[in-house]
Amino acid sequence: MPIGRIPLAALGLIVIALAGCSSAPTQTSTDVGAGAARHALEMRGKPYRPGGNSPRGFDCSGLVQYSYAQVNLRLPRSTEDQWAGSRAVARKEIRPGDLLFFHQEGKRNSHVAIYIGDGRFVHAPSSGKQVSTASLTDRYWTQHFAGARRPVL
């Protein structure tokens, strides 16, 4: 075969091999979610602050937005928009980083938390309190649970 004439099949294999060399590793939604959950846990003890989305103080959706920003995923600011920008997850398939939504004070999906595993979550509960963890099996949270959702990468 003359130099410069490479069989089409060989050329295809070369292109595929080179494409693999140039691509950067991608994070999975599991990696991103677990990372966000770790960052949220690091914020335990930080004060609740209405409209807060920094370590100076958080409200519930601000904690979610901040924690995901630490793993380079930009989420919307409001609870309503976080619900809309995520997809439903069956309760038996919840994993660290999934968002848990709750109905409170007669308002649908008015509170959001980040699942951390073993039936527990981290959240910024309310005025006068601090970022903390709680259990999905606690009676209050069981009664107000609206659903779990996973941010779309």
Side-chain angles (χ1 to χ4, degrees), residues 56-73:
R56 290 187 319 259
F58 294 100
D59 65 14
C60 65
S61 59
L63 176 64
V64 168
Q65 184 186 45
Y66 172 84
S67 299
Y68 269 91
Q70 302 313 296
V71 291
N72 300 314
L73 184 62

Side-chain angles (χ1 to χ4, degrees), residues 54-150:
S54 77
R56 290 187 319 259
F58 294 100
D59 65 14
C60 65
S61 59
L63 176 64
V64 168
Q65 184 186 45
Y66 172 84
S67 299
Y68 269 91
Q70 302 313 296
V71 291
N72 300 314
L73 184 62
R74 185 177 173 156
L75 293 186
R77 178 62 182 91
S78 72
T79 305
E80 181 179 289
D81 289 340
Q82 289 173 357
W83 173 278
S86 55
R87 64 177 179 83
V89 175
R91 192 168 184 150
K92 65 182 183 213
E93 295 176 12
I94 298 172
R95 64 184 186 213
D98 285 344
L99 307 183
L100 306 179
F101 290 86
F102 302 90
H103 304 315
Q104 288 188 307
E105 300 172 6
K107 299 176 196 162
R108 296 185 52 77
N109 308 317
S110 58
H111 185 65
V112 64
I114 298 178
Y115 187 72
I116 57 173
D118 297 323
R120 300 191 61 76
F121 60 90
V122 61
H123 67 137
S126 60
S127 292
K129 297 184 180 176
Q130 298 174 334
V131 173
S132 60
T133 59
S135 175
L136 266 173
T137 61
D138 289 351
R139 183 177 175 169
Y140 178 85
W141 297 113
T142 298
Q143 290 176 340
H144 292 86
F145 184 69
R149 299 182 69 84
R150 188 164 295 146

